[in-house]
Amino acid sequence: MKHYPAEFKADAVALYASRPGTTIRQVVADLGVNPETLRNWIRAAGAGRRSAAPAEAVPQSSPEAEIVALRRNVRELEEERE
């Protein structure tokens, strides 16, 4: 099992978060790491992509906020699948 420095992990997550049109597979191809490894780093960092319509525009306790979050998750999963 390969161990990566914390700075490399943080940079990889930041790179993924900063490239909205890019999939995890494209980023890992640039970095040379396993897609699941990067996916785990993203989850651990709590990082993700921001949607075009921020969820803050809708109160977090409302069903509409949940729908916005679910749609964002579906969009991210579709990007990763490509």
Side-chain angles (χ1 to χ4, degrees):
M1 189 180 218
K2 202 168 186 183
H3 293 282
Y4 296 94
E7 184 178 352
F8 179 80
K9 294 177 186 181
D11 288 345
V13 170
L15 178 64
Y16 172 74
S18 71
R19 298 166 87 184
T22 307
T23 64
I24 285 180
R25 288 181 192 258
Q26 291 169 328
V27 173
V28 298
D30 292 342
L31 299 176
V33 298
N34 185 293
E36 194 58 33
T37 301
L38 178 58
R39 198 170 285 115
N40 289 335
W41 295 345
I42 292 166
R43 282 187 206 123
R49 299 220 173 116
R50 298 196 184 264
S51 64
E56 294 81 35
V58 179
Q60 293 299 317
S61 60
S62 72
E64 290 83 7
E66 185 176 351
I67 291 170
V68 169
L70 291 171
R71 286 184 178 158
R72 182 176 51 242
N73 289 343
V74 167
R75 193 170 37 251
E76 289 175 6
L77 291 171
E78 287 173 343
E79 288 176 0
E80 290 174 11
R81 186 177 49 195
E82 294 173 356

